[in-house]
Amino acid sequence: MTATPSASTGAFKERREEFMKGIQGGAALFASAPTAVRNMDVEFEYRQDSDLYYLTGFEEPSCLAVLVPDHPQHRFVMFVQPRDDSAEVWTGKRAGVEGAISDYGADAAFTIDKLDQELPGLLAKADRIYYRFGANSDADSRVVRLMRYFQRERQRKGAGPAAVIDPAGLLHEARLVKSASELETLRRAVDITCKGHAAARSVIKPGVYEYEIDAELRYVYAKYGSPRHAFPPIVASGVNSTTLHYTSNRRQLQKGELLLIDSGAEYGYFAGDVTRTYPADGVFSKEQAELYELVLAAEEAGIEAVRPGARFVDPHNRAVQILTEGLVRLGLLKGEVSSLIEKEEFKRFYMHRTSHWLGMDVHDVGMYTIGDESRKLEPGMVLTIEPGLYVSAYDQQVEPRYRGIGIRIEDDVLVTADGRDVLSSGLPRAISDIERTMRV
Ligand code: GLY
Ligand code: MN
Ligand code: MN
């Protein structure tokens, strides 16, 4: 189903070993994502926590992975749901403790109800615990109880964990720079995303409902093996395109409007994230084209600014410069470009950032700033470039012909040794290419 190698032998083990090199003397705990009730007996679709998946490949809920690099026998221990024939009739086969060892490479495994019994002994010799609070409140409370226990133990025995440290500094830095096999999976997620977008584009016409476009995305993603969206798709017609995270997707597209599609497939736990904006009738109006060309120029300048050694903030600064110059040229902003940028006046029309990291999480992990400096880009990092312009339908200060227009163009860009690779470049974005593809 996924392009990632098998759990016990492949990339997961390598990732664990690499991570464990950085936590010697300590131990790390990774909890599964919690389940959530949707209504009555129905739960929200389950997706494993990205960190836990990255290190184990394990997709079941109610699991805790423990890494103790200096433990003489049990460096990787899993606590999992027990095998249970009657529960498995309803929800499918579980790995159980046997599967955790044979299929996922654990040195030892216990059922999750043995946690309080087994965990203190496993961690007794560690001097610190790596754990990230905030994603699973049950696991959070357990860690607090555990540390309370070790406070007393330390007093008596003079040893044991004395601190809880966020593993992000090590683990998320590793996730930020993608390996060759991770890039292969991410490229596949972006390819499927582009296939979905192309299918969605082909059904655009006045009268179509946003949910019909949404359905094309869902169908094509699923058809090519994507188990789920990377985030709820944004299919925003007309004035909805000025709502940045519009997801209700219920409106009917009208003649003369734009349709903004921001969507990504997930594949092998990696996310695509691409945005295109199309004219309902296959041809941009004058005002739409003016704003579109501006966003496209900002995007191209942003993409050009991606290269090793450039700062993360450089594409954003380039995009803001070009957008602000253009807004002045078109009369939507008045004044000196430098002062409009300094006072952030452009935020009336461009209120979000140009980039975020892309990976297992659509807004992926990894630091954006190191010390006081915007981070330097390195080969293997992937980021989006996604400038936009959003003119409120109610903005009395702009000419009525521009009101209610929302445009975003978003591509997924890999930093390479000598520059960049636009992973989503197969999906047309120049006006002439869009108009041509919409004619056929
Ligand atoms: N789709 C969310 C984003 O572009 O960041
Ligand atoms: Mn997006
Ligand atoms: Mn994005």
Side-chain angles (χ1 to χ4, degrees):
M1 185 180 78
T2 68
T4 37
S6 94
S8 57
T9 55
F12 299 111
K13 183 166 168 40
E14 277 172 34
R15 290 166 176 170
R16 286 195 298 274
E17 292 301 331
E18 192 56 37
F19 175 71
M20 282 198 279
K21 279 188 208 156
I23 63 159
Q24 279 167 10
L29 308 177
F30 293 95
S32 52
T35 55
V37 172
R38 196 186 81 142
N39 60 319
M40 271 301 277
D41 292 339
V42 181
E43 290 185 346
F44 280 100
E45 184 191 8
Y46 189 73
R47 182 201 185 267
Q48 189 55 278
D49 174 81
S50 295
D51 283 342
L52 181 73
Y53 186 82
Y54 178 83
L55 290 168
T56 67
F58 199 69
E59 298 196 74
E60 292 179 30
S62 301
C63 162
L64 187 85
V66 185
L67 299 176
V68 194
D70 302 312
H71 197 287
Q73 296 96 30
H74 299 155
R75 299 170 70 241
F76 171 36
V77 178
M78 288 178 76
F79 291 86
V80 298
Q81 298 178 112
R83 292 290 315 278
D84 177 340
D85 288 341
S86 59
E88 289 175 33
V89 166
W90 293 89
T91 52
K93 193 153 160 38
R94 298 174 177 179
V97 293
E98 300 82 5
I101 294 168
S102 61
D103 299 344
Y104 294 89
D107 300 320
F110 303 94
T111 52
I112 191 83
D113 56 311
K114 297 286 191 322
L115 206 51
D116 286 342
Q117 211 172 307
E118 299 292 336
L119 199 52
L122 275 172
L123 304 178
K125 296 232 161 27
D127 61 5
R128 62 204 189 280
I129 304 288
Y130 290 82
Y131 176 76
R132 187 167 172 86
F133 284 102
N136 180 330
S137 54
D138 286 347
D140 290 354
S141 326
R142 256 182 212 282
V143 173
V144 170
R145 279 209 309 277
L146 190 71
M147 293 314 285
R148 184 85 187 121
Y149 165 83
F150 279 123
Q151 285 170 358
R152 292 191 298 273
E153 284 295 286
R154 275 179 69 79
Q155 188 181 20
R156 278 197 284 270
K157 298 186 178 154
V164 180
I165 300 171
D166 188 340
L170 291 163
L171 191 67
H172 292 177
E173 290 301 294
R175 278 179 51 189
L176 174 58
V177 180
K178 278 73 180 167
S179 69
S181 73
E182 289 164 3
L183 283 174
E184 206 178 302
T185 312
L186 175 54
R187 279 180 191 279
R188 179 83 184 132
V190 177
D191 284 348
I192 296 172
T193 298
C194 291
K195 285 184 165 68
H197 272 259
R201 185 190 61 223
S202 73
V203 298
I204 293 173
K205 59 177 185 218
V208 74
Y209 282 86
E210 293 164 349
Y211 52 73
E212 295 178 77
I213 309 285
D214 182 320
E216 292 293 324
L217 295 166
R218 286 177 197 275
Y219 171 68
V220 174
Y221 292 173
K223 180 171 148 172
Y224 287 98
S226 158
R228 59 184 85 85
H229 286 276
F231 55 91
I234 297 165
V235 182
S237 65
V239 74
N240 289 341
S241 61
T242 63
T243 302
L244 300 179
H245 282 178
Y246 169 83
T247 54
S248 61
N249 302 352
R250 310 304 304 166
R251 185 175 171 275
Q252 192 179 31
L253 177 65
Q254 306 296 316
K255 205 169 167 334
E257 291 182 343
L258 292 178
L259 182 78
L260 183 157
I261 304 174
D262 180 352
S263 173
E266 185 176 295
Y267 184 80
Y269 278 77
F270 278 87
D273 183 11
V274 171
T275 307
R276 290 290 183 269
T277 308
Y278 300 108
D281 322 83
V283 181
F284 288 86
S285 73
K286 179 169 172 294
E287 291 75 21
Q288 291 165 351
E290 284 170 349
L291 294 177
Y292 190 96
E293 290 290 13
L294 192 46
V295 175
L296 186 61
E299 203 218 6
E300 282 174 351
I303 290 171
E304 274 293 301
V306 174
R307 65 177 73 91
R311 297 173 311 158
F312 174 79
V313 79
D314 289 343
H316 179 66
N317 289 346
R318 288 293 297 133
V320 163
Q321 178 76 31
I322 286 175
L323 290 174
T324 308
E325 286 170 8
L327 288 166
V328 170
R329 208 164 49 240
L330 296 176
L332 281 92
L333 284 177
K334 293 189 176 43
E336 280 290 318
V337 169
S338 56
S339 130
L340 291 167
I341 291 175
E342 199 186 325
K343 293 185 189 139
E344 299 190 329
E345 298 282 346
F346 61 85
K347 285 194 171 171
R348 206 166 108 220
F349 304 107
Y350 182 42
M351 53 297 274
H352 60 80
R353 305 286 295 181
T354 302
S355 302
H356 54 77
W357 303 130
L358 184 70
M360 295 181 74
D361 294 308
V362 62
H363 290 181
D364 205 27
V365 295
M367 302 293 280
Y368 289 114
T369 303
I370 295 189
D372 286 339
E373 299 285 323
S374 175
R375 177 172 208 148
K376 295 267 176 29
L377 299 179
E378 296 167 35
M381 293 175 172
V382 182
L383 66 162
T384 63
I385 301 291
E386 50 176 307
L389 285 175
Y390 313 91
V391 185
S392 163
Y394 311 104
D395 191 336
Q396 300 296 321
Q397 295 173 61
V398 302
E399 290 181 54
R401 63 198 179 103
Y402 290 120
R403 290 183 203 159
I405 295 180
I407 294 166
R408 178 162 64 255
I409 311 173
E410 173 174 28
D411 283 282
D412 302 337
V413 183
L414 165 69
V415 185
T416 60
D418 51 6
R420 72 210 66 80
D421 186 358
V422 182
L423 306 180
S424 44
S425 63
L427 197 64
R429 57 197 157 101
I431 284 190
S432 55
D433 293 336
I434 285 180
E435 292 186 343
R436 192 178 56 251
T437 49
M438 291 186 78
R439 263 198 303 275
V440 292

